[in-house]
Amino acid sequence: PEALQISLTYRCNLKCRVCRLKQLLPQEEELSLAQLPRLGNEAASLGIKEVILTGGEPLLREDFFELCRVFRSCLLKTIVTTNGALIDRACARELAACGVNHVHFSVDGLQGVHDFLRGPGTFEKITQAIGYLNELRSSGHFFSLGVACTVMDCNVGELSGIAQWADDLKVDIINFQALMRDNADFSAPGPSGPVLAR
């Protein structure tokens, strides 16, 4: 494998209609700051090139930026997947300073669909967060931006609009992915066996 994906927490600041991850792991059972450097070093020794930090909402970890520095010290490319709602200017500066290589935003549609599924104002928060990060990129910080969109009946008609929105915001990567029946059931059979939820 070239990538290691770690769900740092299943805590989340949103209550999305299509997600059940919040019910999984209690905070006291999350991997600790003491445990995670060992994972990073083991991953690097196996030739793994990148670590994907996800959740829940990984930015809810109080030690998130320190963790990013730890993984960077293991020479791993660091990718964070976020709902974007917690990224203000100060958080964007912290992301740039801790050496994150890529920030990937979960997007469920254009404003109406996204806000219906994730909560009022969440689409605007992602748009603002991407703007803050682009300000840093234009001043010499080097990291890429991406969006991931799960294709559903409610957004299939606006996929080209999502791609245009992302392009207008200078997003580097866009992923369209298949819907899973239950993203909290890690044993759910997929087309070719068990499917791991993102």
Side-chain angles (χ1 to χ4, degrees), residues 112-126:
V113 170
H114 185 86
D115 284 2
F116 171 75
L117 293 173
R118 294 197 177 232
T122 53
F123 184 81
E124 182 59 28
K125 285 183 179 178
I126 287 181

Side-chain angles (χ1 to χ4, degrees), residues 157-169:
E158 55 188 40
L159 298 184
S160 62
I162 295 166
Q164 185 62 59
W165 166 81
D167 189 56
D168 291 344
L169 290 174

Side-chain angles (χ1 to χ4, degrees), residues 27-76:
Q27 183 174 353
E28 60 271 16
E29 292 184 27
E30 293 172 3
L31 291 171
S32 71
L33 181 59
Q35 294 169 308
L36 287 162
R38 182 175 55 83
L39 283 180
N41 285 318
E42 287 180 5
S45 73
L46 294 170
I48 290 173
K49 306 283 192 260
E50 61 188 36
V51 60
I52 303 164
L53 305 176
T54 185
E57 174 49 53
L59 289 169
L60 285 174
R61 285 279 301 237
E62 296 77 8
D63 55 3
F64 176 78
F65 301 111
E66 189 173 353
L67 284 171
C68 290
R69 290 183 178 91
V70 165
F71 288 122
R72 288 285 291 172
S73 73
C74 299
L75 304 180
L76 293 169

Side-chain angles (χ1 to χ4, degrees), residues 2-142:
E2 294 191 353
L4 169 67
Q5 180 168 306
I6 302 174
S7 293
L8 293 177
T9 181
Y10 287 126
R11 289 178 282 151
C12 192
N13 53 312
L14 302 182
K15 295 180 180 175
C16 303
R17 294 173 185 261
V18 295
C19 181
R20 294 180 54 216
L21 288 177
K22 282 181 73 170
Q23 70 181 8
L24 293 182
L25 190 70
Q27 183 174 353
E28 60 271 16
E29 292 184 27
E30 293 172 3
L31 291 171
S32 71
L33 181 59
Q35 294 169 308
L36 287 162
R38 182 175 55 83
L39 283 180
N41 285 318
E42 287 180 5
S45 73
L46 294 170
I48 290 173
K49 306 283 192 260
E50 61 188 36
V51 60
I52 303 164
L53 305 176
T54 185
E57 174 49 53
L59 289 169
L60 285 174
R61 285 279 301 237
E62 296 77 8
D63 55 3
F64 176 78
F65 301 111
E66 189 173 353
L67 284 171
C68 290
R69 290 183 178 91
V70 165
F71 288 122
R72 288 285 291 172
S73 73
C74 299
L75 304 180
L76 293 169
K77 179 179 178 184
T78 307
I79 298 165
V80 57
T81 301
T82 177
N83 62 41
L86 299 175
I87 300 178
D88 54 15
R89 276 199 168 87
C91 181
R93 285 193 297 270
E94 288 274 9
L95 282 167
C98 74
V100 164
N101 297 97
H102 180 78
V103 183
H104 215 67
F105 294 89
S106 300
V107 177
D108 289 329
L110 296 174
Q111 186 164 9
V113 170
H114 185 86
D115 284 2
F116 171 75
L117 293 173
R118 294 197 177 232
T122 53
F123 184 81
E124 182 59 28
K125 285 183 179 178
I126 287 181
T127 302
Q128 289 175 344
I130 292 171
Y132 299 145
L133 291 164
N134 271 325
E135 288 173 8
L136 293 165
R137 295 203 303 171
S138 67
S139 64
H141 291 276
F142 298 101

Side-chain angles (χ1 to χ4, degrees), residues 129-186:
I130 292 171
Y132 299 145
L133 291 164
N134 271 325
E135 288 173 8
L136 293 165
R137 295 203 303 171
S138 67
S139 64
H141 291 276
F142 298 101
F143 53 86
S144 55
L145 300 175
V147 297
C149 177
T150 299
V151 179
M152 301 173 274
D153 287 347
C154 61
N155 67 14
V156 71
E158 55 188 40
L159 298 184
S160 62
I162 295 166
Q164 185 62 59
W165 166 81
D167 189 56
D168 291 344
L169 290 174
K170 299 180 175 63
V171 167
D172 305 293
I173 299 166
I174 183 164
N175 301 113
F176 291 109
Q177 54 203 33
L179 177 68
M180 294 176 53
R181 284 179 305 179
D182 181 354
N183 73 334
D185 181 1
F186 295 105

